[in-house]
């Protein structure tokens, strides 16, 4: 997720832009840039790397002016580079644009613009916006922007300045935050409150599909139909730290709340004409047939996503899948050949063991597909194909939105592979895709009822041990739920295949031991219910996660959290939300440092 700042007033814009961008550094970025209007022309400077690189490169005499926009980029379309950094412009450099979000239909728009004779400088989706505004511009900047937005699918927070309009900045938003700061004879924009907190606490939060025109002494807001919107001024009372977290107590909680958007951003751009289009990974039917097996390699949470991936790829595409912990795999002399397909999963794209496994498989000649969140990471550069999770930067050490978007990537691959192999009937494919499209909305629904997780956490945070049980995909989800709990709350926790309990683990259950029982797999529901009865009979305090409608479970357990009804295969995405929230609230109740748990690093770049 990128950062946006903008200024219009009587002061020099550049220092305010740089200062604002510095306040957004905590979000993570790979490049930065600014555009300043000097009353005659727009001058731009942008650079890959930290803001200090940009600052060293800036010619301050050239970048004078009291109207400007700035941006820190977290790469999505196109690697981190000077050219791909924002602001982007039309060919003549008369219109400059900064953008946060994803233009889902940019490929189509780009082809159309190219047919109209427009030449593109960058690989970004954002550049289409600058050219489209130019295409529609006939003296009325707002009209040109409205026409452009009418044709854009996806999410955006946009800041636009134009040579012909030295006294105005136009901004717009849909599904990406944008805040307008109100000063005295000056106004500001920012993607996040911390960027402008030093200058003003009076803000407008722009709503979806609203457009704002910022002048030095006033701000006008219109809706998508051009009608004037009256907005209440919001007085920000947060301190800088709270503002960085968007008002949430911790980054982890903020990132859990970002999951519906992250899922949407990861899925929707990959659907065209009711089919999954994984242009990013061009694996053919022949290659899949020849593969013999797929091997998924990863660490930690990414490994747990891989366990779900194994279930779904095998079930849908009927291709054998091994799932391996990278640190084990790299030293076991694995059987890999040049036909095998390797799926490397890594949020950071820098995990040492995962990277070593990738290199080993590459040496063996295998085809490497990476699922990663960081464009330009080592994994993304060394893999043959990359499928990005467009989750935006994940700051909390505990992985949340990266995990659910990794699951989504694996579902998309499973469905795509099954289709290519002719192993899924057309009707089933369509139904499954429709259901996949509902996942962002369903996760939002779970977030809206989070009080139950807080209650369960309050009842169990003093426990010495908490067990997680489940069968099939519930077991895979249990492994991740248990990891989340132990890494941030320091409570001992284990995940067990529910059917394995009798083979030893049940001896650990005593009066009051919390057991989180996942019972979302319809075909295994009765079996899991029996296992729940077994632990209950030994005195366990059972918190169950079940699907809406499966109310029989209420008789057997102490607490139930219901997730919305969906395909068995998709429940791990939905279950992730209550399990993450449960771990979060337990850690908060214990007073732990949720975002930076002891002994852990966000990216494990050493063995
Ligand atoms: C998850 O909450 C952990 N912090 C950790 O297990 C993490 O998933 C693991 O280190 C792998 O990281 P990666 O996805 O960046 O490779």
């Amino acid at each position: 997720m990128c950062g946006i700042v903008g200024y219009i007033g009587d002061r020099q814009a550049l220092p305010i832009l740089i200062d604002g961008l510095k306040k957004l550094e905590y979000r993570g970025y790979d490049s930065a840039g600014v555009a300043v209007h000097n009353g005659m022309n727009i001058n731009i400077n942008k650079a890959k790397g930290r803001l200090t690189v940009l600052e060293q490169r800036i010619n301050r005499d050239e970048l004078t002016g009291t109207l400007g926009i700035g941006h820190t980029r977290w790469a999505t379309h196109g690697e981190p580079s000077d050219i791909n950094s924002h602001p982007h412009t039309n060919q003549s450099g008369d219109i400059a644009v900064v953008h946060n979000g994803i233009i889902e239909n940019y490929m189509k728009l780009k082809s159309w613009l190219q047919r109209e004779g427009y030449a593109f400088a960058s690989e970004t989706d954002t550049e289409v916006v600058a050219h489209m505004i130019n295409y529609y511009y006939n003296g009325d900047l707002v009209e040109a922007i409205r026409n452009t937005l009418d044709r854009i699918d996806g999410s955006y927070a946009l800041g636009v300045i134009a040579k012909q309009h030295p006294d105005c900045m136009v901004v717009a938003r849909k599904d990406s935050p944008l805040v307008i700061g109100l000063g005295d004879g000056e106004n500001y924009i920012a993607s996040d409150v911390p960027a402008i907190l030093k200058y003003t606490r009076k803000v407008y939060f722009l709503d979806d599909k609203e457009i704002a025109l910022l002048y030095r002494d006033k701000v006008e807001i219109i809706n998508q139909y051009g009608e004037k919107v009256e907005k209440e001024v919001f007085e920000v009372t947060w301190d800088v730290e709270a503002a960085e977290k968007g008002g949430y107590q911790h980054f982890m909680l903020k990132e859990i709340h970002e999951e519906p958007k992250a899922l949407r951003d990861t899925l929707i751009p990959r659907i065209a004409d009711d089919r999954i289009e994984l242009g990013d990974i061009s694996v053919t039917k022949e290659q899949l047939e020849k593969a013999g097996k797929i091997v998924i390699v990863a660490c930690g949470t990414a490994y747990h996503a891989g366990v779900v991936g194994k279930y779904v790829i095998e079930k849908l595409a009927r291709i054998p899948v091994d799932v391996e912990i990278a640190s084990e795999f790299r030293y076991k002399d694995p059987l890999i050949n040049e036909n095998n397909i390797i799926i490397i999963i890594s949020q950071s794209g820098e995990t040492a063991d995962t990277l070593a496994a990738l290199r080993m498989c590459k040496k063996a000649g295998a085809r490497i597909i990476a699922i990663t969140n960081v464009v330009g990471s080592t994994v993304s550069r060394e893999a043959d194909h990359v499928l990005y999770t467009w989750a935006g930067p994940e700051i909390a050490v505990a992985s949340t939105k990266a995990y659910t978007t990794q699951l989504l990537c694996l579902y998309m691959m499973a469905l795509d592979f099954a289709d290519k192999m002719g192993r899924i009937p057309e009707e089933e494919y369509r139904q499954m895709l429709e259901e996949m499209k509902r996942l962002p909305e369903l996760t939002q629904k779970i977030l809206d009822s989070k009080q139950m997780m807080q209650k369960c956490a309050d009842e169990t945070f003093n426990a010495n041990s908490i067990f997680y049980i489940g069968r099939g995909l519930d077991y895979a989800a249990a492994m991740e739920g248990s990891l989340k709990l132990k890494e941030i709350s320091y409570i001992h926790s284990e995940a067990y295949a529910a059917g394995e309990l009798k083979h030893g683990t049940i001896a650990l259950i005593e009066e009051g031991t919390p057991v989180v029982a996942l019972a979302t797999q319809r075909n295994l529901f009765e079996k899991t219910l029996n296992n729940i009865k077994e632990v209950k009979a030994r005195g366990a305090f059972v918190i169950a996660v079940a699907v809406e409608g499966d109310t029989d479970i209420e008789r057997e357990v102490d607490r139930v959290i219901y997730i919305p009804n969906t395909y068995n295969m998709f429940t791990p995405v939905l279950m992730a939300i209550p399990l993450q929230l449960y771990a979060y609230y337990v850690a908060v109740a214990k007073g732990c440092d949720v975002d930076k748990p002891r002994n852990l690093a966000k990216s494990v770049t050493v063995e």
Side-chain angles (χ1 to χ4, degrees):
M1 255 171 278
C2 313
I4 288 178
V5 294
Y7 174 78
I8 183 164
D10 290 326
R11 291 189 279 165
Q12 284 299 311
L14 184 64
I16 296 171
L17 299 179
I18 297 287
D19 181 64
L21 292 178
K22 282 185 181 159
K23 297 286 184 309
L24 299 179
E25 277 192 300
Y26 71 93
R27 298 155 54 102
Y29 67 103
D30 50 57
S31 47
V34 287
V36 180
H37 201 309
N38 65 9
M40 305 282 288
N41 290 305
I42 295 173
N43 290 306
I44 294 186
N45 222 313
K46 48 193 198 172
K48 176 183 166 184
R50 311 296 298 169
L51 270 167
T52 45
V53 178
L54 177 71
E55 282 187 285
Q56 280 157 11
R57 199 178 280 187
I58 279 174
N59 177 346
R60 286 175 189 271
D61 297 335
E62 198 180 275
L63 285 179
T64 54
T66 57
L67 165 64
I69 48 179
H71 191 267
T72 44
R73 176 173 188 249
W74 167 271
T76 56
H77 299 71
E79 59 175 13
S81 69
D82 291 357
I83 287 288
N84 287 336
S85 314
H86 298 215
H88 290 284
T89 67
N90 62 330
Q91 266 168 271
S92 60
D94 291 354
I95 298 165
V97 174
V98 286
H99 167 225
N100 185 1
I102 291 176
I103 311 290
E104 289 162 6
N105 57 342
Y106 89 101
M107 288 297 278
K108 259 191 200 154
L109 295 169
K110 188 170 178 174
S111 308
W112 161 67
L113 286 162
Q114 282 168 329
R115 285 196 301 278
E116 292 288 333
Y118 285 84
F120 279 74
S122 76
E123 302 159 283
T124 64
D125 52 339
T126 303
E127 197 183 338
V128 299
V129 180
H131 292 305
M132 284 178 78
I133 296 173
N134 176 83
Y135 176 87
Y136 286 115
Y137 183 74
N138 57 12
D140 186 337
L141 183 60
V142 177
E143 198 50 32
I145 292 173
R146 279 183 57 206
N147 284 327
T148 301
L149 299 182
D150 271 353
R151 294 190 60 185
I152 281 178
D153 296 333
S155 56
Y156 53 79
L158 282 173
V160 183
I161 58 173
K163 174 180 167 165
Q164 285 81 354
H165 301 267
D167 299 314
C168 176
M169 179 195 318
V170 184
V171 301
R173 78 152 264 178
K174 179 178 162 273
D175 296 329
S176 264
L178 195 71
V179 56
I180 296 172
L182 306 169
D184 190 10
E186 55 187 5
N187 291 303
Y188 308 80
I189 60 159
S191 48
D192 268 314
V193 171
I196 54 174
L197 214 50
K198 181 170 156 189
Y199 307 106
T200 181
R201 287 184 170 268
K202 289 192 171 57
V203 302
Y204 288 142
F205 286 109
L206 217 55
D207 286 314
D208 274 352
K209 299 202 174 173
E210 287 179 343
I211 298 175
L213 288 73
L214 279 81
Y215 303 92
R216 282 172 178 75
D217 52 358
K218 64 175 176 181
V219 174
E220 290 171 4
I221 300 176
I222 55 171
N223 64 19
Q224 58 181 317
Y225 309 109
E227 297 156 350
K228 209 167 167 204
V229 174
E230 293 298 341
K231 261 200 184 303
E232 292 240 339
V233 176
F234 182 88
E235 188 85 33
V236 178
T237 51
W238 308 328
D239 59 17
V240 173
E241 208 191 316
E244 284 181 352
K245 293 167 191 151
Y248 290 101
Q249 203 186 338
H250 297 97
F251 282 114
M252 183 180 174
L253 190 59
K254 176 173 181 264
E255 287 161 7
I256 293 172
H257 281 82
E258 285 168 353
E259 287 184 70
K261 180 178 185 306
L263 289 169
R264 192 175 187 284
D265 284 349
T266 302
L267 177 67
I268 303 301
R270 272 120 180 188
I271 299 175
D273 300 327
D274 281 329
R275 298 218 83 76
I276 289 174
E277 294 289 344
L278 297 182
D280 355 33
I281 55 163
S282 49
V283 181
T284 62
K285 180 180 186 216
E286 293 65 41
Q287 285 160 351
L288 288 169
E289 277 169 352
K290 260 177 78 180
K293 69 173 175 182
I294 291 174
V295 183
I296 302 178
V297 193
C299 299
T301 290
Y303 167 77
H304 294 150
V307 177
V308 175
K310 172 182 165 68
Y311 274 88
V312 295
I313 295 173
E314 287 188 342
K315 182 142 182 87
L316 292 177
R318 308 306 290 163
I319 304 170
V321 181
D322 291 343
V323 54
E324 302 271 3
I325 293 171
S327 55
E328 289 295 314
F329 177 80
R330 64 183 288 196
Y331 293 115
K332 72 173 200 185
D333 195 11
L335 295 167
I336 298 295
N337 66 43
E338 68 279 6
N339 293 324
N340 297 154
I341 293 174
I342 314 295
I343 302 176
I344 295 286
I345 311 177
S346 174
Q347 186 283 131
S348 62
E350 304 293 349
T351 302
D353 285 322
T354 310
L355 203 51
L358 181 157
R359 288 175 178 155
M360 250 175 78
C361 297
K362 211 171 172 181
K363 214 164 160 196
R367 179 176 298 274
I368 318 283
I369 300 173
I371 296 178
T372 182
N373 197 34
V374 183
V375 178
S377 58
T378 314
V379 162
S380 77
R381 282 185 276 113
E382 297 194 12
D384 297 308
H385 315 270
V386 187
L387 191 58
Y388 287 107
T389 49
W390 283 330
E394 199 177 58
I395 295 171
V397 165
S399 188
T400 52
K401 58 181 180 171
Y403 170 69
T404 43
T405 51
Q406 284 161 359
L407 293 181
L408 197 57
C409 284
L410 289 160
Y411 292 143
M412 285 191 279
M413 279 168 67
L415 204 51
D416 182 56
F417 291 175
D419 187 36
K420 284 187 174 137
M421 298 284 283
R423 294 196 170 136
I424 183 163
E426 185 58 23
E427 191 48 31
E428 200 181 321
Y429 177 97
R430 283 186 188 281
Q431 282 171 359
M432 213 161 248
L433 187 55
E434 278 314 302
E435 191 59 16
M436 226 190 265
K437 286 195 226 163
R438 289 179 66 226
L439 290 175
E441 163 199 332
L442 298 182
T443 45
Q444 183 62 55
K445 208 172 149 194
I446 305 170
L447 278 172
D448 292 341
S449 55
K450 57 180 180 242
Q451 296 81 355
M452 188 60 170
M453 297 326 299
Q454 177 138 31
K455 179 177 157 62
C456 293
D458 290 345
E459 289 171 323
T460 50
F461 76 92
N462 275 323
N464 292 325
S465 263
I466 300 183
F467 293 90
Y468 286 68
I469 60 169
R471 287 171 176 260
L473 282 170
D474 284 331
Y475 174 44
M479 291 162 90
E480 174 55 12
S482 169
L483 175 67
K484 212 87 306 171
L485 181 83
K486 64 188 133 202
E487 72 175 325
I488 60 170
S489 76
Y490 319 142
I491 294 179
H492 167 256
S493 174
E494 303 289 341
Y496 283 98
E500 270 287 293
L501 283 172
K502 290 194 206 48
H503 301 282
T505 316
I506 203 157
L508 296 171
I509 306 293
E510 52 191 34
E511 197 58 39
T513 306
V515 173
V516 179
L518 309 182
T520 72
Q521 300 299 294
R522 275 6 209 305
N523 52 330
L524 298 166
F525 185 72
E526 292 303 327
K527 300 265 176 217
T528 309
L529 212 53
N530 286 337
N531 299 129
I532 290 174
K533 286 178 191 166
E534 287 161 10
V535 290
K536 195 70 204 137
R538 272 91 187 163
F541 178 84
V542 179
I543 301 168
V545 179
V547 175
E548 273 167 8
D550 285 344
T551 47
D552 281 0
I553 202 162
E554 286 174 19
R555 284 198 302 270
E556 314 298 341
V557 303
D558 299 279
R559 304 283 174 262
V560 194
I561 292 97
Y562 288 111
I563 58 167
N565 196 354
T566 185
Y567 283 30
N568 267 353
M569 221 173 268
F570 296 148
T571 62
V573 172
L574 302 188
M575 264 185 288
I577 307 287
L579 296 181
Q580 291 164 358
L581 285 169
Y582 175 61
Y584 171 78
Y585 287 123
V586 169
V588 171
K590 287 193 69 186
C592 298
D593 188 352
V594 174
D595 286 333
K596 290 196 184 91
R598 69 185 182 204
N599 310 339
L600 294 176
K602 182 66 186 161
S603 182
V604 186
T605 53
V606 288
E607 206 183 322

